[in-house]
Amino acid sequence: MNDQALPASPFFTTRQAAAYLNRPVDTLRVWRHRRFGPPSFRQGRKVMYRIADLDTWIAECESGDSRSNSDLDPLQQDPESRKGRARPPYAA
């Protein structure tokens, strides 16, 4: 028998993915049911998450948040001009 260790798996179970994301297992189940959250797939009866997909999903969440992406920060944007905006009609 070969004494070489098996390479680390590039996949997590739901429990491992929840620990990796610091979220409850039930949250991942709800996300999966609502088709939200990181991508997952079934391997037999187990739901699996690819670690690379979790990292990509985290990066997408981070880049879509104005607190970590200065391009989306409303305080860094020029104020919108009010010219040309129609005023609502006054009730008579």
Side-chain angles (χ1 to χ4, degrees):
M1 186 163 183
N2 197 349
D3 289 338
Q4 291 180 348
L6 292 173
S9 174
F11 305 105
F12 279 155
T13 63
T14 301
R15 187 177 307 256
Q16 292 168 323
Y20 187 74
L21 296 172
N22 196 27
R23 295 281 180 242
V25 172
D26 288 339
T27 297
L28 267 66
R29 289 184 182 135
V30 169
W31 285 352
R32 195 170 54 251
H33 176 74
R34 294 182 179 171
R35 306 242 188 260
F36 175 77
S40 63
F41 64 95
R42 288 200 171 270
Q43 190 176 37
R45 296 180 80 188
K46 287 193 175 238
V47 175
M48 304 296 287
Y49 292 84
R50 188 178 302 273
I51 297 170
D53 289 344
L54 293 176
D55 291 334
T56 301
W57 183 77
I58 291 168
E60 288 171 359
C61 290
E62 192 174 49
S63 68
D65 187 349
S66 65
R67 289 171 287 193
S68 58
N69 185 348
S70 60
D71 292 339
L72 301 176
D73 186 359
L75 299 176
Q76 301 297 326
Q77 306 296 322
D78 292 332
E80 292 182 16
S81 173
R82 292 182 180 225
K83 291 180 181 177
R85 292 176 70 188
R87 289 186 168 207
Y90 292 103

